[in-house]
Amino acid sequence: LSNSSSSSSGTEHQQQRKLHVTAAMVRATEYRITMPVSLEEYRIGQTYMRSRMQMENTRGSEGVEVRASHPFADDRMGHGHFAHVVYHFHSKAPAWLRALAPHGALCLEEQNWNAYPHSKTVAHPSTCHSLNSSLALTQSPLPLSLLPFPCPCQCPYFTKFTITIESMHVADRGDSENALGLDEAQLKQRKVERLDIASHDRDMWSRLIAKSGIDPSKVTLTKTNRGPLTPGWQSTCEPVMTAYKMVTVDAPYWGFGKRLELLVLAGERALFLEAHRKCFGWMDEWCELTMEDVRRIEKENIEAMRKNLALNNKVAPDEFNEDELRPEVDGSLDDADSSGTELADSPKGKGKAAEGKEIAV
């Protein structure tokens, strides 16, 4: 009996220790990115920036595949837009990560609910390397109340790995202490970091991701008469708003889980900086566009990316359902928080942006 009791106690202790270690592995950082734009300007600029970055990062057999885009209604977030996106990025993953999983395992599947100014993104590795596969996930809008979703393409190598990005956009200078309405436990867990788009970061991820050459500390925008952003600009600029982005990474794996979580957070940080620098630097291209213009650009780019990926992967592209993009519905393919073809190199808009119209995020 003594041995049985001791064994039971030991098992219970191991389970508690395992739960403690798993909980400790979850990392959460709230990034605050202040921008010299109004809330409405940011909504248009962010949508434009995201679509163009997706185009710029879709080359050859890799890139961004938008599988669905639907309106949704949720009790907590209200009405908005749901998007299901798959990122094919095997060649961009670090060598040590590629060594852990085969080629098909390094796709990132993302579900995003955008009810601007609030949005939420949940992403996880998947085996969605087969283009145009028929997924139940893409057939109808999904409410947040259904989280977590069972995914038929869940990667068997990283079944527990998830990235969650929750964003709130506020007309302030980044001084709201709880813009996302976090509970006491979340507030205690989070780390807060303010990001300055006019800074000059020298870390590895910034060198890898920040290849646009856009420097807000030197850029002068002629149409809006904004910039360059000099030291202290966040305290004096008008208009102004801040994107609060809470990134939670959970990789409960012995040996490399911590490394993977830190890798993702560093990558998201660099991506947020680069994306918002581009949003600012491209302002003269999007400042005169309406949301209707940007939606049309977005739809054209989605179709172009699907055809490019289908051509390079030697599969027949499906026609994009007209009902999957509805211009009258508020919201867009947001976040991330968070990729081109020859369109991205056109002199007027680098994507079909100037004609009326490349994440995280």
Side-chain angles (χ1 to χ4, degrees):
L1 287 175
S2 176
N3 290 338
S4 176
S5 176
S6 175
S7 175
S8 176
S9 176
T11 301
E12 183 178 347
H13 175 72
Q14 289 177 349
Q15 290 175 339
Q16 289 176 346
R17 184 172 181 272
K18 184 177 180 180
L19 287 172
H20 174 74
V21 171
T22 299
M25 284 184 173
V26 178
R27 297 177 186 274
T29 300
E30 181 183 297
Y31 296 101
R32 300 180 182 181
I33 311 108
T34 299
M35 293 287 288
V37 297
S38 68
L39 277 176
E40 184 56 31
E41 286 176 328
Y42 182 83
R43 181 186 175 209
I44 294 172
Q46 181 197 45
T47 309
Y48 175 94
M49 170 269 293
R50 179 179 174 89
S51 183
R52 178 171 160 184
M53 287 183 69
Q54 288 178 339
M55 282 288 291
E56 290 181 353
N57 283 284
T58 302
R59 296 183 182 278
S61 62
E62 296 189 336
V64 184
E65 181 189 1
V66 180
R67 291 197 168 168
S69 183
H70 302 286
F72 80 92
D74 180 76
D75 291 340
R76 184 167 67 91
M77 293 184 69
H79 294 270
H81 217 80
F82 168 79
H84 174 206
V85 182
V86 178
Y87 299 90
H88 306 266
F89 67 101
H90 183 87
S91 66
K92 295 180 176 63
W96 67 267
L97 185 57
R98 292 199 302 269
L100 292 173
H103 182 88
L106 291 177
C107 294
L108 188 70
E109 186 163 0
E110 173 187 288
Q111 294 95 40
N112 169 261
W113 298 259
N114 178 24
Y116 191 82
H118 186 196
S119 70
K120 184 166 186 173
T121 299
V122 179
H124 58 80
S126 77
T127 55
C128 291
H129 54 287
S130 177
L131 298 181
N132 302 320
S133 61
S134 210
L135 296 180
L137 184 61
T138 67
Q139 301 306 311
S140 62
L142 296 171
L144 280 166
S145 58
L146 293 181
L147 279 171
F149 300 124
C151 175
C153 292
Q154 182 82 36
C155 175
Y157 300 93
F158 300 104
T159 56
K160 299 177 182 178
F161 176 42
T162 58
I163 306 167
T164 303
I165 304 173
E166 187 152 10
S167 304
M168 182 61 75
H169 306 89
V170 184
D172 68 6
R173 300 182 186 277
D175 48 15
S176 294
E177 285 306 309
N178 193 8
L180 287 160
L182 305 178
D183 60 32
E184 195 171 317
Q186 291 172 315
L187 288 172
K188 186 177 180 180
Q189 180 190 34
R190 77 170 177 179
K191 171 187 174 183
V192 175
E193 183 176 355
R194 293 172 180 261
L195 302 184
D196 182 359
I197 64 170
S199 64
H200 299 88
D201 294 79
R202 303 300 182 194
D203 62 285
M204 179 196 73
W205 276 109
S206 294
R207 293 196 301 270
L208 289 173
I209 293 176
K211 296 181 179 180
S212 66
I214 296 175
D215 185 351
S217 68
K218 298 178 182 179
V219 170
T220 299
L221 301 167
T222 56
K223 291 184 180 180
T224 58
N225 194 31
R226 298 180 205 180
L229 302 182
T230 56
W233 68 270
Q234 293 154 308
S235 302
T236 59
C237 71
E238 289 292 346
V240 66
M241 58 77 61
T242 299
Y244 293 80
K245 295 184 175 292
M246 182 74 164
V247 182
T248 305
V249 185
D250 186 11
Y253 301 103
W254 287 98
F256 69 96
K258 178 180 178 180
R259 186 177 182 182
L260 183 56
E261 288 171 345
L262 293 174
L263 172 77
V264 170
L265 285 172
E268 290 290 350
R269 180 187 185 278
L271 183 58
F272 288 154
L273 277 169
E274 178 66 0
H276 285 80
R277 285 170 181 150
K278 288 181 176 180
C279 186
F280 175 77
W282 294 338
M283 193 184 300
D284 279 350
E285 299 176 17
W286 58 256
C287 66
E288 296 176 346
L289 299 177
T290 65
M291 275 306 298
E292 184 178 11
D293 294 331
V294 176
R295 291 300 176 75
R296 178 165 43 82
I297 295 165
E298 192 176 57
K299 180 179 176 182
E300 291 171 358
N301 286 350
I302 287 172
E303 293 174 342
M305 289 186 294
R306 286 168 67 89
K307 289 178 181 178
N308 175 76
L309 287 171
L311 177 65
N312 285 282
N313 286 279
K314 295 179 173 60
V315 298
D318 294 341
E319 289 298 325
F320 198 76
N321 191 335
E322 293 282 342
D323 293 332
E324 291 179 335
L325 283 180
R326 303 182 186 179
E328 72 275 8
V329 178
D330 288 341
S332 64
L333 305 183
D334 183 34
D335 280 304
D337 92 284
S338 253
S339 314
T341 61
E342 60 183 11
L343 291 177
D345 298 321
S346 66
K348 289 193 78 175
K350 296 185 172 65
K352 290 197 171 182
E355 299 176 10
K357 132 176 172 181
E358 210 171 79
I359 0 333
V361 166

